[in-house]
Amino acid sequence: MPTGNNTTTSISRRYRQAVLLYGLSLLLLVVGLSWVIRAQYLAELQAAEQRLSAKSALMVELIESTFSTSSQSLLGLADMLDSTAGGPLPGHAALSELLNKRNSTLPYIDDLIITDLTGRIVARSAPRLGQPLSIHQFDIYRNLQRAEDGFVVSPVYWASSAEGYRILIARWLKDGSGQIRAAGLARLTPVMLSNLLGELDLVDGESIAIVDEKAQLVARLPESNFALGDVINGPDTALYVNEEAATTRFMEYSPIDGDLRLYVSMRAGNLPLWVVLGQGIHELVMGLVIRLWPLVFTGLLLALMGMILLRHLFAQWRIEQALRSEVVERQRAEQEAQSGEAHLQTLMNSMQDLILVLTVEGRFTYVHAGNESQLLAPPAEMIGMHYSDLLPEHICERVDATFRQVLQAGSPQRVDYRLEFDESPAWFSALLSPVLDSEGKIDAVLVVVRDVTEDRDQQVQLSIAATAFETHLGMMITDEHGVILKVNRTFTEITGYSEDEVRGRNPRMLSAGRHDGDFYRRLWEQVSRHGSWQGEIWNRRKNNQVYPQWLTISAVRDANDNLTHYVGTLSDITERKAAEREIHQLAFYDPLTGLPNRRLMLNRLEEALASGEQKEQYGAMLFLDVDNFKQINDSLGHHGGDDILQAAAERMESVLRDGDTLARLGGDEFVAVLRDCGRDPRAVVEVVQDIAQQMLGALGMPFVRHQQPLLLTASIGITLFHGRTSTDELLRQADMALFQAKSLGTNQVCFFDPELQARLQERTQLENDLGQALEERQLFLVYQCQVDEHGDTVGAEALLRWRHPERGLVSPAEFIPLAESRQLIHKIGLWVIESACEVLVKWAQQPALADLTLSVNVSPLQFQALAFVDQVREILSRTRAPAHRLKLEVTESLFVDDRDDICLMMEELKNLGVTFSLDDFGTGYSSLAYLKRLPLDQLKIDQSFVRDLLESSTSSAIVASTIALAHSLDLDVIAEGVEREDQRAWLLEHGCRRFQGYLFGTPATLDEGDLIQR
């Protein structure tokens, strides 16, 4: 091995030396040739420049000579002025004729002009209409005034009269005494200069042109697309035109024909003309190339001979190297084979996969296992076994099919299967590949088996993660810089942006602009400090809709605590916010009118109390109740009533001040809280009174319902507050004031009165005491007899009395309404009926009293109870009282609603034997219709009519009509409140046969005397 390396190194060194020597020789040859070519090129340029300069000088002499001749022609004009020496110039016509004759003898001159010293044209050889009368404004006249030799030439200009480009020459004209008398001008055609160029012999590649001081083309050979007068805009044109030097040399691409040329520019004396002579570089080089070809051919021949020599040396060295390398390569091949086999074995041992070699029959010839616990048998035992001897049957069937595919298709095939090891499942993936012999036939099958249990577990986890990612929450994943990497389908549904539209962008694109920089700074400080942030945020959808969003941002870090990603989960909380608003609306506002409810009103009242205490001002609470609203509801229906309440709320709210609150407590009850009404109590009362009257006035305006006007009235109770006061106390005070207002009638306003509060407190105490009166046997019955026309007792009326332990006897007119309002009337009423039945039972046992009837007053509230009939039936059954002796007295208010169920209840009681008397007839809802329908037995004339029966014709007429009506309906009639004999006589005369009153006896208990005697 060392000998081979040294030989190779020696040969390589000789290669490098030979190549280096050959390269240096070529370099010297190229440098020499380049130097010779450059020297020849410079010599050619110098020769061409000299040739161009000589030709330019010749052309300049020709131009100067031509213009000198033209100048002498102008001097001849001075002879025309000698005859007028010292006097005025000849006349225009005569002088113009002379000029015309002179012009016809001069070549290349098409117009002669004479001006006076001011520049006014005196005469010209070819006068035409429209020509200028003076030249004092032209540059040639100004240049003539400045010229030292009194002679100037103009650049090329366009002569409209001649319809072509011309050149003007001008000089002063002197008379014989040498005095300047005039200026003479001659207009030359540039053709003379083109003719001059034709006299010059040009070789291939040469061009010559005459340009003026404005870079205008005057003449050129050879001809080109540029015309006479065209401006030549070459890179160096301005340089030589403005150059003070008479001769300029430069090289550039011709602006006329585009060829690269060497130019020599030479000015024609003091004339504004330049002669530009050029030599084409292409023609110049072509001649040089022709002369250099033999030299280049000689150099190439030398290079080729050197290459042939070098190649011959390389061939000899390669043969020598090949002989030496063959021995070295054999040694190296043996070592590499040994090393490769060892390396392959090392690789095989390091592989964790199972490597198996099977014959085409399926028997193991080689077994390698990085983990032998994955084998179903020891490796040594597996050699020569068939795989079907080891694998379970269901796996073996799949391997058989795959094995056949490998043998038939000759291409690798894969099969996955699962094995159980100690009740622990493991997944394997086997790749079966054909092994070919030297003839290309399948000689064996290579099987590489890999344990993919962890891969499958990871795949399952990824599948679970992917499923979790597509959750009902929007998800967004960004890198550590906040660049969006992935979003889920819910994110698209919420924001309207697809994944392609947001990938690579920053989540700032979703911002609605409702949060300032401080908000986002605190947000990211929270994420940085605690790893996450969650909260409510306003963002914008793709359609520009701004919506509320619940956002959670979590930072993801790797095992080294380096930030790698951010994960954001978001949900649209628009519906939740709407629900919260709806809940807030339901919690604090009345659903019908949209006004604050009791809860919000109490909050506003607390605020008003605090504000009044701070500002030391009064406030007020107004408790309003619509009068008789139940009738409106019954007539219009609940929907109609709701419409009226809504309209009423709008009217009342329009009356209040900013900062005041109108609330609906329920039904037809409203509360207004007025704040900051002032410091003077009297002024405050006036302000509040005025607002209350405005509210009543607003309600007093007609409400139109189905094109029918409807008038509302209301009662308002007012209480003032100043400083800290209990809200419950204020409500009680306003309620008491409202009670007082309603007691005064409709459309009334009352302020809270402490005396009223005392009475109401007394009433409340009385209500509480009434609840205990029955249990404590404070209630008792008294009886007033009822007599016929002979004065005989036919019955009695049981009257309820209350003996209060402190107040004594309480009037029924005072405690009966309390019992009805507290729903105690049902319990008390049943006690009265049961007590009356017990009395009837006792009377039935006494022959003198057995035929008497006992009347009991029944409250409408008690009678309307669904269980009333059953309760009466149960009392009659339990006491065994004679039902036909029990008379229930009912009032007209029971029949206001014209309810059929009341009639049915009366029919049921009538079937039990109970009789009915209509009490207080004529004082309420008197109707013949219900008198006809109801199963009544008696009409009772109210004592209010009987009292002034003899004094009032109206009362007497009503009583007489009632008696007649009762007789016509076949009903008994009884008059109550009979206190005088004359009243009894009148009633008897008009047909009334039953009486009750103090004339016949005062109400008394049964223990106080004999009912018959009374």
Side-chain angles (χ1 to χ4, degrees):
M1 181 67 71
T3 303
N5 285 337
N6 291 337
T7 301
T8 303
T9 303
S10 176
I11 294 175
S12 298
R13 186 184 303 112
R14 281 188 284 177
Y15 277 169
R16 290 195 297 271
Q17 290 175 352
V19 171
L20 180 60
L21 179 61
Y22 178 72
L24 288 174
S25 300
L26 287 179
L27 178 62
L28 291 175
L29 180 61
V30 170
V31 170
L33 287 174
S34 299
W35 183 83
V36 171
I37 293 171
R38 181 177 182 279
Q40 289 291 329
Y41 176 70
L42 293 177
E44 288 290 338
L45 285 179
Q46 185 176 7
E49 184 178 329
Q50 291 175 355
R51 183 173 68 255
L52 294 175
S53 296
K55 291 183 177 181
S56 297
L58 176 60
M59 181 53 61
V60 166
E61 289 180 4
L62 291 174
I63 292 172
E64 287 180 340
S65 174
T66 301
F67 277 96
S68 176
T69 302
S70 300
S71 176
Q72 292 300 322
S73 300
L74 288 178
L75 287 177
L77 298 179
D79 298 339
M80 300 179 186
L81 305 178
D82 289 343
S83 60
T84 61
L89 294 174
H92 173 74
L95 197 53
S96 295
E97 184 178 356
L98 292 175
L99 290 177
N100 189 26
K101 292 180 180 181
R102 177 65 61 87
N103 184 31
S104 61
T105 63
L106 298 176
Y108 307 118
I109 296 177
D110 61 358
D111 196 7
L112 292 175
I113 303 170
I114 295 179
T115 71
D116 60 15
L117 298 181
T118 64
R120 183 177 63 86
I121 297 176
V122 176
R124 66 188 308 165
S125 61
R128 292 181 180 86
L129 291 176
Q131 292 177 334
L133 302 179
S134 175
I135 65 169
H136 74 279
Q137 74 273 21
F138 297 127
D139 290 340
I140 192 167
Y141 182 73
R142 289 192 290 269
N143 292 338
L144 181 62
Q145 290 178 323
R146 292 193 297 267
E148 295 179 357
D149 57 355
F151 175 74
V152 293
V153 178
S154 74
V156 174
Y157 74 97
W158 177 260
S160 57
S161 60
E163 297 182 354
Y165 282 96
R166 297 293 186 266
I167 299 175
L168 280 178
I169 62 174
R171 70 173 306 125
W172 295 117
L173 301 180
K174 299 178 181 179
D175 57 14
S177 63
Q179 182 180 1
I180 298 175
R181 295 292 308 280
L185 292 85
R187 189 171 69 185
L188 305 179
T189 60
V191 177
M192 66 176 185
L193 296 178
S194 298
N195 294 337
L196 289 178
L197 294 182
E199 297 178 2
L200 194 65
D201 294 330
L202 299 178
V203 299
D204 281 345
E206 284 187 345
S207 66
I208 185 169
I210 300 175
V211 298
D212 62 13
E213 62 184 7
K214 296 182 180 179
Q216 298 179 102
L217 182 64
V218 179
R220 186 183 188 275
L221 283 180
E223 295 182 355
S224 66
N225 292 332
F226 273 65
L228 174 63
D230 288 348
V231 177
I232 301 173
N233 292 319
D236 293 314
T237 303
L239 178 65
Y240 67 74
V241 169
N242 298 321
E243 185 71 37
E244 294 182 359
T247 303
T248 304
R249 298 169 180 83
F250 59 92
M251 185 183 298
E252 71 172 16
Y253 286 95
S254 172
I256 295 177
D257 55 19
D259 292 339
L260 180 63
R261 297 180 184 275
L262 172 66
Y263 289 101
V264 173
S265 171
M266 187 174 296
R267 183 169 184 172
N270 293 325
L271 300 176
L273 299 174
W274 277 261
V275 175
V276 182
L277 201 62
Q279 171 65 58
I281 298 301
H282 176 72
E283 289 78 11
L284 190 65
V285 172
M286 287 302 296
L288 178 62
V289 169
I290 293 172
R291 291 193 298 274
L292 291 178
W293 263 118
L295 183 61
V296 172
F297 179 77
T298 302
L300 291 176
L301 184 60
L302 291 174
L304 180 60
M305 292 175 62
M307 184 177 293
I308 293 172
L309 177 61
L310 187 61
R311 183 178 180 184
H312 178 71
L313 290 174
F314 283 173
Q316 288 186 339
W317 293 342
R318 278 197 296 271
I319 294 172
E320 180 183 349
Q321 182 180 9
L323 293 174
R324 294 178 179 178
S325 296
E326 185 176 354
V327 177
V328 174
E329 287 298 328
R330 288 180 181 177
Q331 297 175 353
R332 181 181 299 160
E334 292 176 358
Q335 293 178 356
E336 288 180 353
Q338 296 173 358
S339 175
E341 184 177 352
H343 183 62
L344 179 60
Q345 188 62 40
T346 301
L347 289 176
M348 294 284 288
N349 293 333
S350 64
M351 293 179 64
Q352 296 301 311
D353 296 338
L354 301 179
I355 300 177
L356 311 171
V357 179
L358 302 175
T359 65
V360 293
E361 292 81 16
R363 299 188 178 278
F364 295 101
T365 59
Y366 177 81
V367 176
H368 166 75
N371 181 7
E372 293 189 2
S373 64
Q374 296 177 346
L375 295 175
L376 298 177
E381 296 181 6
M382 292 176 61
I383 301 299
M385 295 180 64
H386 196 277
Y387 60 79
S388 61
D389 298 333
L390 300 174
L391 295 175
E393 183 178 355
H394 67 283
I395 297 177
C396 188
E397 292 176 356
R398 298 173 56 197
V399 174
D400 285 343
T402 306
F403 198 83
R404 285 193 298 271
Q405 290 180 2
V406 173
L407 297 179
Q408 293 173 1
S411 60
Q413 302 291 330
R414 185 177 297 276
V415 60
D416 296 334
Y417 58 91
R418 175 183 174 182
L419 293 175
E420 298 285 342
F421 292 97
D422 298 331
E423 298 183 356
S424 177
W427 284 92
F428 295 92
S429 178
L431 178 64
L432 285 69
S433 303
V435 178
L436 306 179
D437 58 14
S438 58
E439 297 179 358
K441 297 181 180 180
I442 298 178
D443 182 53
V445 175
L446 175 66
V447 182
V448 179
V449 182
R450 175 165 295 178
D451 185 353
V452 295
T453 304
E454 292 185 1
D455 294 341
R456 289 183 66 89
D457 291 342
Q458 291 178 359
Q459 186 65 33
V460 171
Q461 294 299 324
L462 289 175
S463 178
I464 294 173
T467 303
F469 187 71
E470 294 298 338
T471 181
H472 68 284
L473 296 175
M475 297 195 70
M476 171 175 55
I477 300 176
T478 73
D479 63 12
E480 70 274 19
H481 303 296
V483 177
I484 298 175
L485 303 177
K486 186 172 181 60
V487 298
N488 69 351
R489 184 172 56 255
T490 308
F491 174 93
T492 300
E493 294 173 355
I494 293 175
T495 65
Y497 288 100
S498 66
E499 183 173 349
D500 292 338
E501 290 175 314
V502 299
R503 188 187 296 114
R505 302 179 66 180
N506 192 282
R508 281 192 296 270
M509 64 178 289
L510 304 174
S511 174
R514 289 197 177 184
H515 305 287
D516 56 15
D518 291 338
F519 172 83
Y520 290 105
R521 185 177 64 256
R522 292 192 301 270
L523 184 155
W524 288 110
E525 287 178 355
Q526 175 80 6
V527 174
S528 177
R529 187 180 300 113
H530 301 289
S532 65
W533 176 90
Q534 65 175 349
E536 184 178 310
I537 192 170
W538 287 88
N539 274 336
R540 188 183 303 275
R541 305 186 204 273
K542 184 179 179 180
N543 61 4
N544 283 331
Q545 179 188 4
V546 177
Y547 69 103
Q549 182 186 99
W550 186 264
L551 176 63
T552 300
I553 302 176
S554 301
V556 180
R557 298 182 178 275
D558 60 14
N560 297 323
D561 200 34
N562 295 320
L563 179 65
T564 60
H565 298 84
Y566 290 106
V567 176
T569 60
L570 53 99
S571 60
D572 186 351
I573 59 174
T574 303
E575 294 183 359
R576 192 183 82 184
K577 296 285 285 186
E580 291 175 355
R581 287 194 297 271
E582 184 176 356
I583 292 172
H584 181 271
Q585 184 74 16
L586 293 175
F588 293 100
Y589 291 90
D590 174 52
L592 176 62
T593 62
L595 296 176
N597 60 11
R598 176 185 290 271
R599 183 176 181 182
L600 182 56
M601 182 274 294
L602 292 175
N603 291 341
R604 300 276 178 85
L605 181 58
E606 290 285 355
E607 294 175 2
L609 288 169
S611 175
E613 182 179 22
Q614 181 181 5
K615 299 178 181 179
E616 298 182 354
Q617 292 198 7
Y618 281 88
M621 173 183 282
L622 286 69
F623 203 146
L624 182 144
D625 182 82
V626 180
D627 297 327
N628 302 317
F629 189 74
K630 184 177 183 300
Q631 298 179 6
I632 297 174
N633 240 355
D634 292 341
S635 62
L636 299 180
H638 290 295
H639 291 298
D642 290 346
D643 293 342
I644 296 298
L645 285 177
Q646 290 174 344
E650 292 178 2
R651 291 188 184 183
M652 290 188 289
E653 193 171 29
S654 67
V655 171
L656 300 183
R657 308 167 303 168
D658 292 340
D660 295 340
T661 298
L662 178 65
R664 178 176 180 242
L665 300 187
D668 56 355
E669 294 181 341
F670 297 85
V671 169
V673 178
L674 311 182
R675 58 192 299 171
D676 302 337
C677 297
R679 291 186 171 88
D680 184 4
R682 295 182 179 179
V684 170
V685 170
E686 293 179 1
V687 170
V688 176
Q689 176 76 19
D690 180 63
I691 293 176
Q693 292 298 333
Q694 290 184 46
M695 294 175 69
L696 293 180
L699 293 178
M701 298 175 62
F703 292 85
V704 178
R705 176 74 178 175
H706 298 310
Q707 299 181 350
Q708 295 295 326
L710 178 68
L711 297 178
L712 287 185
T713 61
S715 301
I716 300 178
I718 304 173
T719 182
L720 303 181
F721 55 84
H722 184 259
R724 277 293 173 184
T725 307
S726 169
T727 56
D728 292 338
E729 180 64 23
L730 289 177
L731 284 171
R732 281 194 298 270
Q733 293 176 3
D735 188 37
M736 285 187 284
L738 176 63
F739 179 80
Q740 180 66 21
K742 294 183 78 68
S743 67
L744 297 177
T746 61
N747 231 36
Q748 297 295 322
V749 177
C750 281
F751 283 82
F752 169 72
D753 184 0
E755 295 181 2
L756 172 64
Q757 183 178 14
R759 290 196 300 271
L760 292 178
Q761 288 177 345
E762 181 182 352
R763 180 176 182 269
T764 302
Q765 184 61 44
L766 194 63
E767 288 178 353
N768 296 332
D769 293 343
L770 181 60
Q772 305 297 325
L774 190 60
E775 285 77 6
E776 296 180 1
R777 298 184 181 274
Q778 298 174 8
L779 298 178
F780 63 96
L781 294 177
V782 295
Y783 302 87
Q784 188 174 29
C785 67
Q786 297 174 343
V787 302
D788 58 12
E789 68 271 23
H790 304 295
D792 297 331
T793 301
V794 295
E797 180 181 2
L799 302 173
L800 183 63
R801 296 291 184 266
W802 179 20
R803 182 178 288 107
H804 193 277
E806 297 178 359
R807 297 179 55 184
L809 285 176
V810 180
S811 170
E814 186 175 358
F815 74 81
I816 292 297
L818 290 180
E820 290 179 337
S821 66
R822 291 286 301 273
Q823 299 297 318
L824 294 172
I825 196 65
H826 301 285
K827 186 175 182 181
I828 294 173
L830 291 176
W831 175 80
V832 171
I833 293 175
E834 184 171 356
S835 298
C837 287
E838 291 174 350
V839 170
L840 287 174
V841 172
K842 292 180 181 180
W843 286 356
Q845 297 172 0
Q846 302 178 40
L849 303 176
D851 294 333
L852 298 182
T853 62
L854 186 58
S855 299
V856 177
N857 289 285
V858 180
S859 168
L861 290 177
Q862 181 183 4
F863 201 99
Q864 291 171 357
L866 296 178
F868 178 69
V869 174
D870 293 335
Q871 291 169 344
V872 174
R873 181 185 293 110
E874 191 273 333
I875 291 174
L876 290 172
S877 175
R878 178 161 40 83
T879 61
R880 297 186 179 183
H884 63 284
R885 298 298 179 185
L886 178 64
K887 183 180 295 184
L888 300 182
E889 292 190 4
V890 293
T891 60
E892 293 175 321
S893 61
L894 179 63
F895 313 111
V896 170
D897 295 332
D898 193 19
R899 292 170 51 179
D900 293 335
D901 58 337
I902 299 298
C903 184
L904 293 175
M905 292 171 67
M906 292 178 67
E907 291 287 353
E908 290 187 48
L909 293 172
K910 190 78 170 176
N911 293 332
L912 295 176
V914 178
T915 59
F916 290 96
S917 176
L918 184 58
D919 194 12
D920 301 334
F921 182 74
T923 61
Y925 182 68
S926 299
S927 172
L928 297 178
Y930 75 77
L931 287 178
K932 180 180 179 182
R933 292 171 51 202
L934 297 176
L936 296 173
D937 298 283
Q938 186 182 68
L939 290 183
K940 195 171 190 177
I941 302 173
D942 187 69
Q943 60 182 342
S944 62
F945 299 122
V946 175
R947 187 180 303 116
D948 56 354
L949 175 68
L950 301 177
E951 289 80 15
S952 173
S953 59
T954 303
S955 296
S956 61
I958 292 175
V959 173
S961 298
T962 303
I963 295 171
L965 177 64
H967 290 165
S968 64
L969 295 176
D970 197 20
L971 299 176
D972 289 339
V973 61
I974 185 172
E976 67 175 351
V978 180
E979 299 178 356
R980 303 197 309 268
E981 182 60 33
D982 55 353
Q983 294 174 340
R984 174 183 174 277
W986 190 97
L987 290 170
L988 187 60
E989 181 182 354
H990 286 80
C992 181
R993 300 290 183 265
R994 297 285 187 271
F995 310 98
Q996 178 182 342
Y998 284 178
L999 178 63
F1000 310 103
T1002 60
T1005 63
L1006 293 178
D1007 298 335
E1008 293 176 348
D1010 190 348
L1011 183 64
I1012 297 179
Q1013 293 178 354
R1014 289 188 281 114

